[in-house]
Amino acid sequence: METKRYVFMFEEGSAKQKEMLGGKGANLAEMTRIGLPVPHGFTISTEACRRYIESGNQLFPGLMEQVWEALTRLEEKAGKRLGLREQPLLVSVRSGAVFSMPGMMDTILNLGLNDETVEGLAAATGDRRFAYDCYRRFIQMFGNVVMKMQHGAFERILERHKDAAGVEFDHLLDADQLVAIIANYKEHIRRATGQPFPLDPRQQLTMAIEAVFSSWNNPRAKVYRQTNGIPEHLGTAVNVQMMIFGNMGETSGTGVVFTRDPSTGHPGLYGEFLTNAQGEDVVAGIRTPKPIAEMSRDLPEAYRQLVDTCQLLEKHYGDMQDIEFTVEKGILFLLQTRTGKRTAAAAVRIAHDLVEEGKIDRAEAVRRIEPTQMTKILHRGIDPDAKLEAVARGLPASPGAATGQVVFDPDLAEKLGKEGQKVILVRPETTPDDIHGIIPAQGILTSRGGMTCHAAIVARGMGKPCVCGCEALRIDMDNETVAVAGRTIKAGDVVSIDGATGAVYIGEVPMVDPTLGEEFGAILRWADDLRHLGVRANADTPEDARKAREFGAEGIGLCRTEHMFMAQDRLPIVQEMILAETLDERQAALDKLLPIQQGDFEEILEAMEGLPTTIRLLDPPLHEFLPKVDELLAEIALLRGQGDYHAAAQREQVLRRARALEEANPMLGFRGCRLGIVYPEIYAMQARAIFQATVNLLRRGFRPQPEVMIPLVGHPNELLALRQLVEEVKAEVVRASGIEFNCPIGTMIEVPRAALVADQIAGTAEFFSFGTNDLTQTTFGFSRDDAEGKFLHQYLHRKVLEHNPFEVLDEEGVGQLIRLAVDGGRRTVPGLKVGICGEHGGEPRSIDFCHRAGLNYVSCSPYRVPVARLAAAQAALRNS
């Protein structure tokens, strides 16, 4: 029986094997395949990781035999042996999942060093200091990553020795000083773990492989996957690669380079490097690296090779690349290439420019953009006209601006973020362990690190502002203070950061809306050419309507008229209508509301000139327009205490009505079409306001396209009665004005019964619009406020539900009802227009379902319109 293979040499794979080899392994294989200078190595597959986890986090039989066989082949290629004193082979061990997960596990470098091989490395290189520096780094890295020891303990030992030697930087320590540090490291490990540091290189490699597999389920990896929607079952590959040394003197170095600026998308190499350094020095924030352009002066030949290689890789992959490289004694080696993480603005510009350069087509450019990135482009920045004085400046690592209270502890940042507070996470540098605090933070500020450090990469991927390497900050983590420019900032103080300029300000600063570039509009126009779904907006005010149109909405799919009642100049009239005890009293209040509503509709219809505007008649229960019972009781008690019995009696009248209208379950109570049937005069007033506004606009030469939507219909007779009412009002307005106009009358499908009898309802409706927020509530039997506040987070944590159904449409339940309703409605009325107006209409996975279900349009909030336009195009491409 043939043994299943889990281990593959780099030359045996290709970029097409990403699911098996992980993104990193597949790219190493591809670079090897096309002849680039990649150090030899092998990859242990993601399937091996899955088997390891299934085996109870144990190495399963046969795996290590394949590893040792691959190691032998690697030794033959390298002309070196792992553990051999003369010409020792040293390797790096890296994780590499299918999807890039920055910070999942730190790379282990120099594996294979021990008390014997370090002397062999010293002899082979003629540099004893270099050899012991590699050994010191390896013990520190292995102790932290594999043996789970605190990084800070090693740093404190190192700092003590530097202080004793009177030097500031690691590379100024001599070999004997490094030998003493290594002895202290080993003793610390023995005391902390109860076991000596492993000196057998094969044991080191075995432990490192297990550490990579185990890292798949560490807390920060789980948080990252949950945040970015990465499946839990994929597992990670392990990449074992021959070491190349960037710390062999001034003709050696290491760096990270992007083929375009990951913050702006501007063409040209962007990155950093260090001479006489190893890879982690660039990203760890310990030394401030140099801009990549300076490499042309320090290592000119290697720089020319790097430029040529970057151009080749970008052309080969058809996308911006993030490349790690090392130069050993003037010779360039590539350690990794992957599709580079980028800001939303950069993603749009890069996709646009690659089309213009002929490297990809328009459809591919549209596929490349994450729809949610579109909203990040719309984030506000600091007002450029504001007269502000920065207290410090760091590196502009991720654009956008943020204001919040200073928090030093990621645990506290997570807690405050969940409470809805805005925080800026301030650290000397961030590590992968800080991910849970980075996610809720408004922005990140560090005193160390470069443009490609952990904080910068993670913040850019999340669309958060970040300022790194702000060396003017003197951060005291113990006392939770920052000293800067003669001032002290304490935990809880408010600061602002500008990730576009690197500026740091004390206090809150004025913000402005962003300016959208031509590339943004071009990508969306290409998306419009590809999509089948229409995109409308949910807009309740003229301002919202104008903003929606600016973002490319093709109409309004939901105008909620009740929002017009909440303004302070209208609410007393609405309350007067609710408190009325006779029809005449109620009609008198409605007569006051009529011109106000008419003016609202006229402005909205004018803003949406020539585009359909679906106006939903009053939906919420009336008690929502009255003060809460407990507030009224407190107010009445206060008035009585002050002796104002007349005012108290008036408030008691409101209290009686509020109690009469109070409901046990308002979502299922006296609301929607039920209000219109019991109080037809309310819906008649609203219909009249819509139609008179339409007539006025027609007289002024506009082309209004109103659509009236009846909410919460569950029985055809409800819609029949209210449609007759609305048509009667329309006929009166037409007779009085002498102007004919068209106004479709439809319904909102938001209770399961309506979906089940949609074939009957369609006989009366001219369109359907799914209110998926309420349809989700009524299908699940969840009150959204109660569910999200009390138990839904536990459902998600325990995997009872994969997604929050109020964020991502539930295809199996709610989706089935939608399909039933679409099919039923179109059996009765072929070609019936059907849309969705719940906020699911702006969520990409839900939009994909709407495309597959055959809907005509989606509707969402104005700022999500660009997301919906792009997601609808991607749905068309995906399902073609």
Side-chain angles (χ1 to χ4, degrees), residues 46-89:
T46 57
E47 188 174 354
C49 177
R50 294 193 291 273
R51 272 203 67 181
Y52 174 86
I53 294 168
E54 290 165 4
S55 303
N57 291 341
Q58 299 290 326
L59 292 172
F60 52 90
L63 175 63
M64 292 312 295
E65 285 80 357
Q66 292 188 30
V67 170
W68 303 138
E69 181 185 340
L71 177 63
T72 299
R73 294 174 65 183
L74 173 57
E75 289 172 334
E76 291 170 354
K77 291 175 181 294
K80 301 177 181 180
R81 291 257 323 266
L82 190 73
L84 188 69
R85 177 173 176 136
E86 291 75 25
Q87 293 295 322
L89 173 68

Side-chain angles (χ1 to χ4, degrees), residues 758-770:
D759 57 335
Q760 299 173 40
I761 292 175
T764 307
E766 291 176 84
F767 64 86
F768 285 171
S769 179
F770 292 98

Side-chain angles (χ1 to χ4, degrees), residues 135 295 376 392 402 442 504 577 633 667 737 775 804 847 851 873:
Y135 195 17
M295 186 176 162
K376 294 173 183 175
Q442 303 299 303
V504 180
M577 174 195 77
L633 286 169
M667 190 187 73
S737 65
L775 187 56
N804 180 339
I847 291 169
H851 173 92

Side-chain angles (χ1 to χ4, degrees), residues 23-24 61 76-78 108 118 184 194 222 268 276 292 398 505 509 618 621 642 651 679 703 737 742 750 753 755:
K24 198 171 295 182
E76 291 170 354
K77 291 175 181 294
I108 302 163
V118 69
N184 285 169
K222 288 182 175 180
N276 197 20
I292 196 69
S398 184
Y505 306 94
V509 299
L618 189 65
Q642 294 171 341
R651 299 311 281 169
Y679 297 120
R703 297 168 297 138
S737 65
N742 182 50
E750 48 192 328
R753 191 180 194 280

